[in-house]
Amino acid sequence: MARKKASRGGGKKRDPLPEDALRSLKSKVSSDLPPIVILRGEETYFRDRGVAMCVEAAKAAGMEICRHDAVDPEYSAARLLDDLSTGALFQSARCLVLHNAERVVIERASQFSASIRDAMKARLSSKAEGALVLSMSKLLATNTLAKAATAAGGELVGCRRLYDSPPPWDPDPRKAELVQWCAARARDLKVQVDLNEAAYIVAATGNDLASIDDQLKSLVGRGKEAIQELVAWDATASPYEVAEQIASGDLKRSLVGLETLFSGGASQRDGSRTIDVGGIVAQLSAAISAKVREAARVAEAVLEGLPPKRAAERCGIKGSPKMIEDFMTRFQARAPGDWAVMLEEFGELERRSRSNVTVDVTDFAQFALRWRRRKAAVRR
């Protein structure tokens, strides 16, 4: 199942590639396993690979492996605390692995959390034999455990999601990190895939590295068949991102997004997928309406004489710098006077969707086509 897409933050320094960080980790653990390795980031594919490297190194060093998962129904905080506080039973040292460690390190839902964190820090300060391997979706460098790990000579490995959109200065979709990774992974597996085919695999599969990996493994020994004949289209799309593309007038991405959304389903924030057409229409309609409506409010203030940024502030457009930047890009995609017309037209489509009249991908595609970005009109 395709997961939520990773977006490229405007003006923000790009984090290192996880592949580079994992190569560095592999080099270090092959000679001497650090006292603690923290794999942090939203990409579980990279985190799992990092955990596997550490476990392999621990086994080679003759360590006892103790595995825990904070979201497993059989997880026991008391047993984890016991493993942290005692020595290995059968080997000279113990490697303790904890998945979804943010539930323990960051959250305070359990009465054992503080005790476990203290036990981890005590283990590091006492330079106990063995290693800790923590896999988690997030951890700030200012966290007390992160500071203790750095002081103890541990490794903090970034496992962020790969960008599935190309850089703004080079819009070629083949330049997206995800496509580049797919092509590189294909070379590792000795699969004949060029960049165009890698872009198709990514589009068909979505930003799910494990699924892309499975797709590539199924292509080992590929003959002369076209990639479209071998790779099933299983991607989902976010209705909120498709709404952004339509509101911004990006016709090409809008049409691809709509096709993916209605054929593969709508990806939800919790990782689930909605395939019901009625649900997809409702989510997409609400998202488009919200974006067009807020732009229409700002446009009204601009037509009264306010500069666009000042008008956005007065109309309550808030959020991170990236969200503000996205709004201004969307707003400036067309003349201020067009937003009210666009809102009125989309209101008619919304009314149809709430009645007995069928609304489907064709209606949204036609709307996107009518409101595509026209550079000459924007300049005027």
Side-chain angles (χ1 to χ4, degrees):
M1 181 186 300
R3 294 173 297 169
K4 186 175 72 175
K5 299 179 75 176
S7 61
R8 184 181 300 273
K12 183 179 179 181
K13 184 179 180 181
R14 186 170 66 175
D15 295 329
L17 286 170
E19 285 284 4
D20 295 339
L22 287 177
R23 272 192 292 268
S24 176
L25 176 65
K26 185 174 183 178
S27 175
K28 291 175 181 176
V29 301
S30 61
S31 58
D32 185 23
L33 189 61
I36 181 170
V37 175
I38 299 178
L39 299 132
R40 55 180 181 174
E42 295 181 347
E43 186 50 74
T44 55
Y45 177 86
F46 290 131
R47 298 203 325 253
D48 289 346
R49 280 180 55 193
V51 169
M53 288 178 189
C54 294
V55 169
E56 183 180 353
K59 288 180 177 178
M63 294 185 187
E64 178 183 80
I65 310 298
C66 297
R67 301 177 186 269
H68 298 265
D69 189 335
V71 300
D72 192 300
E74 298 183 2
Y75 166 73
S76 168
R79 189 162 58 246
L80 171 59
L81 187 58
D82 182 65
D83 284 345
L84 283 166
S85 307
T86 60
L89 296 177
F90 305 106
Q91 276 80 23
S92 60
R94 171 177 291 166
C95 175
L96 192 147
V97 178
L98 176 59
H99 292 278
N100 297 293
E102 67 275 7
R103 295 293 186 94
V104 175
V105 175
I106 300 174
E107 298 180 7
R108 293 178 172 83
S110 168
Q111 59 178 328
F112 288 100
S113 294
S115 299
I116 290 172
R117 290 194 298 271
D118 290 343
M120 288 180 178
K121 289 186 285 187
R123 187 183 180 95
L124 294 175
S125 62
S126 67
K127 299 182 180 179
E129 292 292 326
L132 298 176
V133 180
L134 309 182
S135 173
M136 62 185 73
S137 61
K138 57 184 177 180
L139 183 71
L140 296 176
T142 54
N143 184 280
T144 57
L145 184 60
K147 291 181 177 179
T150 302
E155 290 292 323
L156 275 67
V157 182
C159 298
R160 65 170 174 83
R161 302 290 301 284
L162 295 178
Y163 297 122
D164 49 17
S165 58
W169 56 88
D170 191 351
D172 184 346
R174 296 171 300 179
K175 299 295 179 65
E177 283 184 353
L178 191 60
V179 175
Q180 295 286 324
W181 177 87
C182 178
R185 182 61 179 152
R187 290 193 295 271
D188 292 341
L189 296 171
K190 300 188 182 333
V191 175
Q192 296 298 318
V193 168
D194 60 29
L195 271 178
N196 290 327
E197 292 171 328
Y200 180 85
I201 292 171
V202 166
T205 310
N207 195 339
D208 187 331
L209 301 191
S211 295
I212 293 174
D213 202 37
D214 289 340
Q215 293 274 32
L216 292 172
K217 288 174 181 175
S218 71
L219 297 175
V220 173
R222 169 193 176 190
K224 296 183 179 180
E225 301 94 338
I227 199 73
Q228 292 86 349
E229 299 175 20
L230 300 173
V231 175
W233 193 278
D234 192 44
T236 62
S238 164
Y240 307 101
E241 292 187 1
V242 176
E244 177 68 29
Q245 294 156 6
I246 292 175
S248 300
D250 189 338
L251 180 62
K252 290 183 179 180
R253 294 182 65 197
S254 296
L255 296 181
V256 172
L258 286 169
E259 177 62 27
T260 303
L261 187 62
F262 280 86
S263 61
S267 58
Q268 306 301 309
R269 288 189 171 95
D270 62 359
S272 62
R273 175 193 307 213
T274 297
I275 59 174
D276 173 64
V277 173
I280 293 173
V281 168
Q283 290 183 21
L284 182 59
S285 296
I288 294 174
S289 178
K291 291 180 182 297
V292 176
R293 193 176 303 279
E294 68 177 2
R297 290 202 316 270
V298 174
E300 186 176 353
V302 168
L303 291 173
E304 291 175 358
L306 281 179
K309 287 188 177 180
R310 179 71 186 90
E313 291 175 1
R314 194 181 81 172
C315 293
I317 305 301
K318 299 178 180 178
S320 66
K322 177 63 168 60
M323 294 172 65
I324 300 298
E325 180 185 349
D326 287 345
F327 171 80
M328 294 308 301
T329 300
R330 182 199 326 149
F331 178 76
Q332 293 168 347
R334 51 184 55 87
D338 289 345
W339 284 106
V341 181
M342 186 179 184
L343 180 62
E344 182 179 356
E345 182 176 325
F346 189 74
E348 176 59 30
L349 192 153
E350 272 194 302
R351 285 188 287 274
R352 288 172 51 206
S353 71
R354 293 168 182 167
S355 66
N356 293 327
V357 179
T358 300
V359 172
D360 57 19
V361 62
T362 303
D363 297 280
F364 288 100
Q366 290 174 346
F367 182 81
L369 179 63
R370 284 194 296 274
W371 290 99
R372 68 189 182 276
R373 184 165 53 235
R374 293 181 174 88
K375 292 182 179 180
V378 172
R379 281 198 298 271
R380 283 199 297 272

